Amino acid sequence: RPSRLVVRPMPSLLRTHGRFPYSAINARPRYAWPGGKRLAVYLGLNLEHFAFGEGHGGELAPSGRPDVLNYSWREYGNRVGAWRLLDEFEELRLPVSVLANSEIAGHCPELLAAHIARGDEVVGHGRTNAERQGDLVERDEAALIAETTSTLADAAGAPPRGWLGPWISQSHVSPDLLAEAGYEYLLDW
């Protein structure tokens, strides 16, 4: 229930993104999905490919260089785990969004094709999770977005409408570059 206290915003010395204002949940209008539904569930499956022995990669267990241990469990996901999940999604008739590194289209095209064949949405997720989008200068970031979009559009027959940055990483201009490239939504925010 809204407070009766009158609060005046104070000027801030902190940098902001300037993309949307603060909005307290108790002051927002109630939203209902079609049919009066109050809850929506989103299922997203990351299909990622990492460079072997270079670039970023979450070191979840100490391994050294090259990081065979952590590379291998990720590769198991593309060769076995993602296929088992695909079977479950199919059995339960669950639509899924696949957040795909564009390198997946060359590394394991059968996996991406299986999701496309069942009508799952393909969401852009950079080239590879071995790099972070936010580390790139603007020109290189725009090239990453263009390359990812082109590769995934060739594989899926249409460009992705949504984006999740690799490592959920982005620069101050990522939303602008993505909008210019035709993206309609950004999962990082």
Side-chain angles (χ1 to χ4, degrees):
R1 135 177 127 182
S3 169
R4 295 174 196 215
L5 179 65
V6 175
V7 179
R8 292 186 181 91
M10 301 294 291
S12 176
L13 300 176
L14 301 177
R15 180 180 183 172
T16 69
H17 52 74
R19 297 192 180 274
F20 53 83
Y22 171 80
S23 171
I25 194 166
N26 62 352
R28 296 179 197 162
R30 291 174 86 62
Y31 183 82
W33 292 96
K37 305 290 187 210
R38 298 281 303 142
L39 177 66
V41 177
Y42 156 80
L43 293 177
L45 176 65
N46 290 31
L47 299 180
E48 300 172 339
H49 185 49
F50 292 77
F52 179 72
E54 61 186 35
H56 297 290
E59 190 175 314
L60 302 178
S63 176
R65 291 282 177 198
D67 190 351
V68 175
L69 175 68
N70 288 294
Y71 179 86
S72 295
W73 73 260
R74 287 189 179 91
E75 188 60 12
Y76 171 87
N78 290 332
R79 293 172 185 265
V80 179
W83 289 99
R84 290 183 177 166
L85 287 171
L86 189 64
D87 289 343
E88 292 299 318
F89 298 146
E90 193 64 31
E91 182 179 329
L92 297 169
R93 296 192 315 253
L94 293 172
V96 178
S97 294
V98 289
L99 295 78
N101 289 157
S102 60
E103 284 291 322
I104 287 291
H107 178 65
C108 51
E110 303 90 345
L111 181 57
L112 186 57
H115 280 281
I116 293 166
R118 66 185 299 269
D120 291 334
E121 181 178 4
V122 176
V123 176
H125 189 40
R127 277 185 294 247
T128 170
N129 269 41
E131 64 186 351
R132 290 189 174 97
Q133 179 177 345
D135 293 343
L136 304 174
V137 297
E138 185 173 339
R139 180 188 72 249
D140 293 343
E141 183 179 5
L144 167 116
I145 293 166
E147 179 187 323
T148 300
T149 304
S150 175
T151 301
L152 292 176
D154 287 347
R161 294 177 21 237
W163 182 273
L164 177 73
W167 290 99
I168 312 177
S169 169
Q170 59 180 254
S171 71
H172 290 285
V173 297
S174 296
D176 305 311
L177 294 174
L178 289 161
E180 290 168 11
Y183 284 85
E184 298 174 20
Y185 67 90
L186 177 57
L187 293 171
D188 299 328
W189 289 70

